[in-house]
Amino acid sequence: MTGRLLARTTAVAATLATASAAISLVNSRFLPRLRAPRQDVAERIVVCIPARNEATTLPLLISDLTRQRSCTDMQVIVLDDDSTDGTAAAARAAADGDRRVRVVTSDTAPPTGWTGKAAACAELARLADGIDGIDGIDGIDGQASLIVFVDADVRLAPDAIAAAAALLRRRDTSLLCPWPEQLAGSAAERLVQPLLAWSWMSTLPVSVANSTLLPSMAVACGQFMAFDAAAYRAIGGHHCVAASATEDLDLARALRRQGMRTAVASGAGFVSCRMYDSAADLRAGYGRWLWNEFGGPVGSVVATLALATIYVMPPIAALTASGSTRRLGWAGYLAGTVSRTAARRRESGPRFGTGDVIDAALHPMSILAFAGLVAESHVRRQRGSLTWKSRPMPAPQR
């Protein structure tokens, strides 16, 4: 790359990284957040948990749910989705006779054209609405007013469910996604996991995104999704995203296309999740959906090149160039670090620490790791080898 081209590229990258940092800082300040409710939530809430081979993590979540406060009519349904590790037995032991918790089992494969999670969530919704479900098991008595889907590896503070319900009603939305703090242990997790929140906190003014009905500005997280039950039914529930690799985002977009509002909020201090506990699991998890994130191979190439230009080129220029180009490189690198730090601070809340700042300083390495995951996802899709929870991912609907 010639000196003049490097200077121009670095200047553009520094400008865009600075804009990203500004958006992150504004979002960090104004992002809605969960707060403990001042009064009890009286409406019927059904918490639905799809679980496949979650014998280790699920008991912790059930324990959290049995300690929920300020919900006067909350029930929990766990669907053991053909597990092989004793998930159902572990769930029943964790419930310890609590009548609010019901554990049902399924030993059937998802219908053709469905992902396992979408099929499990659709069955859970049937049970939440009092409809007979698997093997003639009765649903709950009466329809749910709020349906909350929570992944088995999520952890909840005692006021999490009530706080989410109260915020959903206060903002008059059909779907509220309290963004969980993404816990990370291994080096691979620390590089990649914070990018989930950063990806939208650094690009979307959340106050605008939460106010508009544009599907393209929807933000969602399938780890914790609180639905107005009537709105969920109106779009057909998970039936409308049966084959989707990103069913959470597609559900939010389906609601918006029908004129219903969705919102994202910070779950810091209330909701957390460690999605993966190894680099191998992380690769498998991201591989199943990243091919779909940017609309196809061309979009993926454009997006990864743009990210590399904005966040990798500046530190290269800072280390290899001189004069104004070097100064711009340092400015761009620092702006990227600020962007990542601000997003992580809002996501982590009171647990934000020095380690998060160090991770933010390695943001260029995170972008390179992400680019590798995108490429691997496309390769695996072309080979037809995408799987999740030992099940093949269905072919996308055309």
Side-chain angles (χ1 to χ4, degrees):
M1 181 178 291
T2 66
R4 181 173 296 180
L5 180 57
L6 176 62
R8 290 178 177 175
T9 302
T10 303
V12 171
T15 300
L16 293 174
T18 300
S20 166
I23 294 172
S24 293
L25 288 167
V26 170
N27 284 336
S28 181
R29 173 64 179 83
F30 294 107
L31 180 69
R33 64 193 72 176
L34 295 188
R35 300 181 187 278
R38 297 180 180 179
Q39 58 188 19
D40 287 348
V41 176
E43 59 187 307
R44 171 157 293 185
I45 302 172
V46 179
V47 180
C48 299
I49 308 170
R52 177 170 168 81
N53 293 332
E54 298 285 1
T56 301
T57 58
L58 183 57
L60 300 175
L61 173 59
I62 291 176
S63 177
D64 290 344
L65 286 166
T66 60
R67 290 196 295 266
Q68 290 299 296
R69 301 183 296 222
S70 304
C71 297
T72 61
D73 189 0
M74 185 194 81
Q75 298 187 48
V76 178
I77 308 176
V78 179
L79 176 60
D80 174 14
D81 185 13
D82 196 20
S83 298
T84 58
D85 67 346
T87 289
R92 293 188 178 101
D96 193 26
D98 192 315
R99 295 177 61 85
R100 295 172 298 172
V101 181
R102 176 173 299 180
V103 181
V104 299
T105 60
S106 170
D107 58 3
T108 60
T112 302
W114 285 70
T115 66
K117 183 175 182 179
C121 287
E123 188 58 46
L124 283 162
R126 281 170 48 82
L127 294 170
D129 275 344
I131 301 172
D132 288 355
I134 297 170
D135 296 330
I137 296 172
D138 292 336
I140 65 171
D141 296 328
Q143 286 192 331
S145 175
L146 289 176
I147 297 178
V148 181
F149 293 97
V150 182
D151 283 356
D153 50 6
V154 167
R155 300 301 309 275
L156 300 173
D159 290 309
I161 300 297
L167 183 58
L168 182 145
R169 294 309 188 200
R170 188 163 63 247
R171 296 188 64 89
D172 190 25
T173 62
S174 297
L175 166 63
L176 177 75
C177 289
W179 192 274
E181 177 188 1
Q182 301 300 314
L183 304 179
S186 67
E189 294 169 77
R190 297 184 72 90
L191 275 178
V192 175
Q193 284 303 95
L195 294 180
L196 289 174
W198 171 83
S199 65
W200 53 269
M201 284 194 66
S202 64
T203 54
L204 284 176
V206 174
S207 59
V208 176
N210 279 349
S211 300
T212 184
L213 291 177
L214 288 174
S216 60
M217 296 188 73
V219 179
C221 179
Q223 295 167 354
F224 190 131
M225 304 184 79
F227 288 91
D228 172 82
Y232 175 81
R233 298 181 200 112
I235 62 169
H238 278 77
H239 288 264
C240 72
V241 295
S244 174
T246 52
E247 79 287 336
D248 48 4
L249 190 55
D250 287 338
L251 282 166
R253 289 170 175 168
L255 287 166
R256 290 188 170 204
R257 282 193 290 267
Q258 296 299 317
M260 292 178 276
R261 298 174 59 198
T262 73
V264 64
S266 171
F270 289 83
V271 189
S272 63
C273 179
R274 184 174 180 184
M275 290 177 67
Y276 311 112
D277 55 13
S278 70
D281 285 347
L282 183 145
R283 289 173 59 192
Y286 279 91
R288 69 186 171 96
W289 62 272
L290 275 180
W291 63 268
N292 191 49
E293 178 69 4
F294 304 106
V298 174
S300 293
V301 170
V302 172
T304 52
L305 284 177
L307 288 170
T309 299
I310 298 170
Y311 298 105
V312 179
M313 185 61 68
I316 291 176
L319 295 173
T320 62
S322 60
S324 62
T325 301
R326 183 178 186 181
R327 290 191 292 273
L328 283 170
W330 280 115
Y333 167 69
L334 290 174
T337 303
V338 169
S339 175
R340 170 79 170 264
T341 301
R344 185 62 174 171
R345 184 178 180 85
R346 171 49 52 223
E347 179 189 356
S348 298
R351 284 196 282 212
F352 180 84
T354 303
D356 295 300
V357 178
I358 295 173
D359 293 343
L362 297 175
H363 189 54
M365 299 298 296
S366 294
I367 296 299
L368 293 176
F370 177 77
L373 289 171
V374 172
E376 182 180 28
S377 180
H378 279 283
V379 170
R380 290 177 58 198
R381 178 174 179 258
Q382 290 298 319
R383 293 176 176 174
S385 61
L386 291 178
T387 62
W388 184 240
K389 298 283 186 177
S390 72
R391 286 173 172 162
M393 294 293 290
Q397 296 177 337
R398 300 294 184 185

